[in-house]
Amino acid sequence: MITRMTKYTFLLLTSSTDDFLRKIQELGVLDITRSRKSVDAASAELFRECEDLRKEIDTVERCDFNRDEQHTALRKKLESSTVALEEKKHWGDMDEGQRKALEDAGVRIHYHQVPVKRFNPAWQEQYPLEIIENDGKTVRFVVAGYARPGVNSFPVPKTLVAFESIADIEASIAHIRQELSDREAEMEARKEELPALRQAYSEKAGELQRYLAREGATMAAEDYITVLTGFAPTECDAELQAELDRQGIYYIAEPATAADNPSIQLKNNWFARNFETLTGMYGMPVYDEFDPTPVLAPFFLLFWSLCMGDAGYGLVLIELGLLLRYKEDFDLLGLKKHWRLVTTLGIGTFFIGILLGTFFGTNLQEMSWIPEGLRKLMLVGKVEIGGSSYDLAMVAAIAVGVFHICLAMVIKAIGITKRAGFKEAISTWGWVILIVGGLIVAGLALTRVLDASATKIAVIAIGILSVLSIFIFNKPGRNPLLNIGAGLWDTYQMATGLLGDVLSYIRLYALGLAGGMLGAAFNNLGMMVLGDNPTWQWPFFLLIVIIGHGLNFAMSCLGAFVHPLRLTFVEYFKNSGYEGKGQEYNPLSNQIENK
């Protein structure tokens, strides 16, 4: 199945894109596509409005007082007033009347403070100096001096002390704290505005994107707007959005649709997951298509096993898969990460090989120790059809092919109905009724489940429905003559195409037969060298058998890979309407996987 995806949209200046992408890369779940648009005056203004809205949303949503200018100014004012109060407490209040009288006389009071070690007691004899506080670490004192420059200058820099009284400073601090509290309450209350703010941002960002898409904007500054679109599995939304919020990254998140062409991540059970790499070789499905992997998996396994056709070769594949899994330094043809697939193919080959009656080229039908019940299950011998005899394995291969194509046609009809509606799928359903329905009725009639009269009624019903669907209503609303002509053309293509498609499945029987015969030939050649009374001939016998079966195994694996892949990619995908035009989900991540 195809994983549901969420679409994330980001708007930012190109100059900040690299830092942004590094943050996204750390998250490791967003598949990012980017486009760069040149800036003109109109797009720059739209972008500025988007940024203002985004910052406002971010501030309100997270109650980030550090980003609110008014709150920041009040906080700084509170900090400076608190420092002034602590300093003022060391000096105490000065009588305002005395200070005014001194100033009228041209005398200024200067505040100084130095560490105890730096205080020179001789200063008390040289200057009009009065010690205010000595706490053992710092000496605070005042010096009276005239306002004229250079008169009674003192060698220690002055300390700034607030003129206001301690009570006035405390009252000011209380007032600032009240303003801060009111501002914080106002910001908390503004959270009710978040839906409207988000909607405004979404509309403004959409307006900007439409403008960039509509206008071939000429560059007005050496900068660009980068529009980033990312897709992530919906199941990761909670964790991803929490991390985006923590990092201060603003985004628009919405469910992805087929029109967005999101990247595709497949999610299947443990069995089908092994075959997802084969789906990827052809192409991923688009968002509103069916994932072909659940159907591809069992049929590819069956096709592979029929082409290999030897239970002994299945055991070799199982052993090879286990070596890939458990032997650290063993990696044959880069298959180490596909060890489950190799092992699964080996298990299928073993059981199908038993049914075909071949074990390392030996005919199991001729083995006396084989249980009679198992011998009866083997697809060995002939079957009579229409007065002629055919190999049972060949008939089974063609039957599998017919079922495979019929299944593809049903899936195609369901897919078209799902994406475009039933009216667009009438012709396809007509062919399904004719071919699949006809085969079902024929099977029921041959097995005498339906008697002659019931069969006749069923055939007439199928004929009427299929003719109407294929020739008359294949395109509702179109000229009936055009519909008939289109139906005749479809009939020609279907008749010629289906016959060739069905016959293609004979290769499953032919490859399995050829592999078994070649294995038996090597066995016979070895037995000829061995003779009736073997002595020194054993090494040559083993050499012929091992090399011969090694070559046969390699050729069988090649044929068992290529031909089932062709039957899937050509016969099945063509008849199921699968195109494979989707893009694989490839998130931006620091963890790079060698593929």
Side-chain angles (χ1 to χ4, degrees), residues 13 27 48 50 104 126 131 160 184 187 311 319 343 367 378 385 450 487 492 495 507 514 532 536 553 582:
L13 289 173
L27 301 179
R48 185 192 63 76
C50 285
D104 291 342
Q126 300 172 8
I131 295 177
L160 297 178
E184 290 173 1
M187 293 176 67
E319 184 178 0
T343 306
M367 301 292 105
M378 292 181 181
I385 300 178
L450 294 178
Y492 168 75
R507 71 186 69 220
D532 295 331
W536 54 268
F553 175 78

Side-chain angles (χ1 to χ4, degrees), residues 17 101 150 152 157 192 329 337 406 409 439 450:
T17 301
N152 290 353
E192 297 179 1
D329 57 347
K337 64 180 180 179
C406 288
M409 294 177 66
L439 288 173
L450 294 178

Side-chain angles (χ1 to χ4, degrees), residues 158-276:
K158 292 184 290 186
T159 298
L160 297 178
V161 179
F163 287 117
E164 296 88 352
S165 66
I166 292 176
D168 289 341
I169 298 175
E170 288 177 341
S172 176
I173 289 175
H175 180 70
I176 295 170
R177 284 176 174 164
Q178 184 60 46
E179 286 186 301
L180 273 173
S181 177
D182 292 343
R183 180 59 180 169
E184 290 173 1
E186 179 186 349
M187 293 176 67
E188 286 286 351
R190 287 198 64 197
K191 285 190 174 181
E192 297 179 1
E193 302 175 18
L194 278 175
L197 287 172
R198 291 195 186 103
Q199 180 64 27
Y201 178 85
S202 180
E203 291 175 357
K204 189 63 65 176
E207 183 181 351
L208 173 58
Q209 292 190 59
R210 289 192 299 272
Y211 178 86
L212 293 174
R214 183 177 66 250
E215 301 291 335
T218 56
M219 189 168 58
E222 292 186 4
D223 209 344
Y224 294 83
I225 293 174
T226 297
V227 182
L228 292 177
T229 302
F231 296 96
T234 301
E235 61 190 26
C236 300
D237 278 354
E239 182 180 353
L240 173 59
Q241 292 177 15
E243 186 63 22
L244 289 173
D245 292 339
R246 188 186 70 80
Q247 295 193 20
I249 300 172
Y250 193 74
Y251 55 89
I252 300 174
E254 54 190 340
T257 64
D260 298 322
N261 192 26
S263 51
I264 302 300
Q265 182 185 51
L266 303 181
K267 185 178 181 180
N268 291 292
N269 58 35
W270 65 269
F271 172 70
R273 195 180 307 127
N274 298 321
F275 297 84
E276 287 178 357

Side-chain angles (χ1 to χ4, degrees), residues 83-131:
V83 172
L85 176 63
E86 293 302 318
E87 187 64 26
K88 186 67 176 180
K89 287 179 178 179
H90 290 292
W91 300 96
D93 290 332
M94 183 177 181
D95 184 83
E96 184 65 21
Q98 292 179 350
R99 187 182 66 80
K100 187 77 168 73
L102 288 172
E103 286 183 354
D104 291 342
V107 178
R108 297 288 186 267
I109 301 299
H110 304 295
Y111 297 84
H112 302 272
Q113 61 181 17
V114 293
V116 171
K117 293 181 179 180
R118 287 188 57 196
F119 183 76
N120 187 355
W123 291 342
Q124 293 176 292
E125 302 296 332
Q126 300 172 8
Y127 301 95
L129 181 150
E130 181 70 26
I131 295 177

Side-chain angles (χ1 to χ4, degrees), residues 201-506:
Y201 178 85
S202 180
E203 291 175 357
K204 189 63 65 176
E207 183 181 351
L208 173 58
Q209 292 190 59
R210 289 192 299 272
Y211 178 86
L212 293 174
R214 183 177 66 250
E215 301 291 335
T218 56
M219 189 168 58
E222 292 186 4
D223 209 344
Y224 294 83
I225 293 174
T226 297
V227 182
L228 292 177
T229 302
F231 296 96
T234 301
E235 61 190 26
C236 300
D237 278 354
E239 182 180 353
L240 173 59
Q241 292 177 15
E243 186 63 22
L244 289 173
D245 292 339
R246 188 186 70 80
Q247 295 193 20
I249 300 172
Y250 193 74
Y251 55 89
I252 300 174
E254 54 190 340
T257 64
D260 298 322
N261 192 26
S263 51
I264 302 300
Q265 182 185 51
L266 303 181
K267 185 178 181 180
N268 291 292
N269 58 35
W270 65 269
F271 172 70
R273 195 180 307 127
N274 298 321
F275 297 84
E276 287 178 357
T277 184
L278 301 180
T279 301
M281 289 176 63
Y282 186 85
M284 304 296 281
V286 294
Y287 200 55
D288 59 350
E289 258 186 326
F290 289 115
D291 176 12
T293 311
V295 176
L296 180 152
F299 279 99
F300 185 87
L301 176 60
L302 176 62
F303 296 164
W304 168 284
S305 302
L306 288 172
C307 289
M308 291 294 290
D310 192 295
Y313 293 169
L315 294 179
V316 174
L317 283 170
I318 294 172
E319 184 178 0
L320 180 60
L322 296 177
L323 284 174
L324 291 169
R325 170 66 177 86
Y326 293 107
K327 194 170 179 58
E328 293 293 334
D329 57 347
F330 181 75
D331 187 9
L332 181 65
L333 301 176
L335 292 173
K336 194 169 188 66
K337 64 180 180 179
H338 299 300
W339 68 270
R340 289 188 181 88
L341 176 60
V342 174
T343 306
T344 302
L345 294 175
I347 294 172
T349 300
F350 174 77
F351 285 105
I352 295 298
I354 294 295
L355 292 179
L356 294 176
T358 306
F359 186 86
F360 284 116
T362 301
N363 187 351
L364 295 179
Q365 277 278 341
E366 299 175 354
M367 301 292 105
S368 58
W369 49 270
I370 297 294
E372 188 61 30
L374 179 59
R375 199 188 304 273
K376 291 180 179 179
L377 292 175
M378 292 181 181
L379 300 176
V380 179
K382 301 287 186 178
V383 59
E384 294 289 333
I385 300 178
S388 302
S389 60
Y390 302 93
D391 283 350
L392 184 58
M394 184 184 74
V395 174
I398 293 177
V400 168
V402 170
F403 180 77
H404 198 217
I405 291 175
C406 288
L407 179 61
M409 294 177 66
V410 172
I411 291 175
K412 180 180 180 179
I414 295 173
I416 295 175
T417 303
K418 177 177 177 290
R419 293 194 302 272
F422 179 75
K423 290 175 65 175
E424 297 296 325
I426 291 177
S427 177
T428 307
W429 280 114
W431 284 110
V432 170
I433 293 171
L434 178 63
I435 296 174
V436 178
L439 288 173
I440 293 174
V441 169
L444 294 175
L446 289 173
T447 54
R448 301 187 184 281
V449 174
L450 294 178
D451 57 22
S453 59
T455 301
K456 182 178 179 180
I457 294 172
V459 169
I460 292 173
I462 288 173
I464 293 173
L465 288 174
S466 58
V467 167
L468 290 175
S469 300
I470 296 170
F471 295 99
I472 306 300
F473 300 111
N474 52 34
K475 193 74 172 178
R478 191 170 62 176
N479 188 317
L481 294 178
L482 292 177
N483 283 349
I484 293 173
L488 291 172
W489 175 248
D490 286 345
T491 302
Y492 168 75
Q493 288 187 313
M494 191 67 69
T496 56
L498 281 181
L499 180 60
D501 291 344
V502 170
L503 293 178
S504 292
Y505 288 83
I506 294 180

